[in-house]
Amino acid sequence: QVYVTESGGGSVQAGGSLKLSCTASGYTYRSNCMAWFRQAPGKEREGLAYMTDVGSTGYAHSIRGRFTISRDNAKKTIYLEMSSLKPEDTAMYYCGATRVGWKSCPAASPWYNYWGQGTQVTVST
């Protein structure tokens, strides 16, 4: 059984910062891609940041320069450090993990096999 758990969401004012965490268990962690996505009400799930087991990263243009993904293989955890938050960043944030390894992580959510329940981020003006 694979478990993916996100934490760290909350409510902040515009310009503030948050750090999200995602822990995965129950499968071979090191060889897989892990990524952060978000979904606002009425919108499609949007890929934000991706990371391979060896540290190769990718970012969506919408968050480039403001969000940073990192990974702690010993803790089987990835992080998303978010700064200069804007009201349009308000969404449910999800962590996804692939079942197989990739040289370059896919950006689309259908390629991710395991998902957490999400953590809500709300940014107010």
Side-chain angles (χ1 to χ4, degrees):
Q1 188 75 21
V2 177
Y3 296 98
V4 178
T5 306
E6 304 97 337
S7 62
S11 297
V12 296
Q13 290 190 325
S17 301
L18 280 175
K19 184 175 181 178
L20 307 183
S21 300
C22 168
T23 300
S25 62
Y27 78 126
T28 304
Y29 170 83
R30 287 186 60 89
S31 62
N32 299 18
C33 278
M34 295 190 73
W36 287 98
F37 293 78
R38 69 185 178 191
Q39 189 166 16
K43 295 188 176 182
E44 292 187 354
R45 189 164 294 192
E46 174 190 12
L48 301 175
Y50 326 91
M51 194 166 196
T52 67
D53 61 316
V54 295
S56 177
T57 59
Y59 293 92
H61 287 293
S62 61
I63 55 89
R64 196 182 297 260
R66 297 189 298 124
F67 292 8
T68 303
I69 189 171
S70 60
R71 181 167 179 156
D72 185 333
N73 287 335
K75 296 183 178 179
K76 298 184 180 182
T77 299
I78 64 166
Y79 305 94
L80 186 68
E81 294 186 74
M82 307 184 294
S83 62
S84 302
L85 284 163
K86 306 173 183 179
E88 51 264 44
D89 294 318
T90 295
M92 185 72 78
Y93 283 67
Y94 296 93
C95 174
T98 61
R99 184 181 298 120
V100 298
W102 294 77
K103 288 186 178 180
S104 179
C105 292
S109 59
W111 291 105
Y112 290 79
N113 308 101
Y114 309 113
W115 294 93
Q117 294 300 307
T119 185
Q120 178 68 37
V121 172
T122 303
V123 184
S124 59
T125 56

